Amino acid sequence: SARADTPFVREREWQAAQSVTLWADPSRSMGFSGDKTRAPKSDRARLLALALGILLLKGGERVGLSGQQPRPGRSQIIALARGLTDSPDDYGSPDITGLAAHGRAVFLSDFLGPLDDLETALAAASDRGVRGVLCQVLDPAEEDFPFSGRTIFESMSGSLTHETQSAAALRDRYLARLAER
């Protein structure tokens, strides 16, 4: 409008809700805890996913779990809490069927399993224009590798085992491979 002699500019920012997909790895590997008094990795990943989901929903964004369509509103909080459950699989990979094109994604996992499925999911998400974050959740025992002497390492399902007479000798190689991931 130009009804006054003083010029002015009115700025209007286009605001559109973002679609955010959350994935907290539900696999058995996330059930690991190096100390009985410490919560397993799955509890920490679920808590982070739920807290992030609540903050995003309060900010007016659409949020959903992997494999679901992101939705707005406070009622979605209950759906998020119900959807964060365990899986019988040793290692998990994100279900990208619900990812909105040009949306956002947050994947929380230990990322210690085979990387092929994860790389496939990330490539498909990238093809849809999805941007996001990978958040690795590890137990302090997995980060420090405090093992020594004869040790039997076993997967959470018991399907994989490795016995060594000198676990301390594996420490440097383990930490190097962890850093590669």
Side-chain angles (χ1 to χ4, degrees):
S1 73
R3 294 186 178 175
D5 292 335
T6 10
F8 66 92
V9 176
R10 179 180 295 169
E11 285 188 45
R12 292 188 181 227
E13 182 179 333
W14 180 43
Q15 294 181 356
Q18 293 290 317
S19 293
V20 181
T21 300
L22 303 173
W23 177 68
D25 187 350
S27 66
R28 288 185 179 178
S29 72
M30 294 295 288
F32 177 74
S33 176
D35 186 347
K36 291 179 183 180
T37 62
R38 190 171 41 238
K41 298 181 292 185
S42 59
D43 287 0
R44 287 182 267 153
R46 288 180 196 150
L47 180 64
L48 287 169
L50 189 57
L52 179 59
I54 290 170
L55 288 173
L56 289 167
L57 288 166
K58 284 186 176 184
E61 311 299 350
R62 293 184 301 263
V63 179
L65 292 175
S66 179
Q68 304 172 354
Q69 289 293 328
R71 301 187 195 293
R74 291 183 182 257
S75 62
Q76 185 66 355
I77 295 171
I78 295 169
L80 292 176
R82 285 186 183 146
L84 294 169
T85 59
D86 288 329
S87 166
D89 300 327
D90 273 345
Y91 298 103
S93 64
D95 178 4
I96 58 158
T97 55
L99 286 177
H102 304 290
R104 305 289 184 259
V106 178
F107 297 157
L108 299 113
S109 177
D110 56 10
F111 301 111
L112 294 177
L115 293 179
D116 295 340
D117 291 339
L118 177 65
E119 289 171 349
T120 302
L122 292 177
S126 178
D127 289 345
R128 292 183 188 176
V130 176
R131 296 187 329 195
V133 174
L134 299 177
C135 179
Q136 189 175 36
V137 179
L138 295 174
D139 188 81
E142 292 172 322
E143 291 182 277
D144 299 336
F145 201 81
F147 309 104
S148 62
R150 181 176 180 269
T151 307
I152 300 173
F153 296 101
E154 187 174 67
S155 69
M156 294 302 290
S157 68
S159 62
L160 300 171
T161 60
H162 177 75
E163 181 177 353
T164 181
Q165 297 300 320
S166 177
L170 299 175
R171 185 174 197 278
D172 291 337
R173 285 192 337 215
Y174 168 82
L175 293 176
R177 287 190 69 186
L178 182 62
E180 287 177 22
R181 287 190 170 251

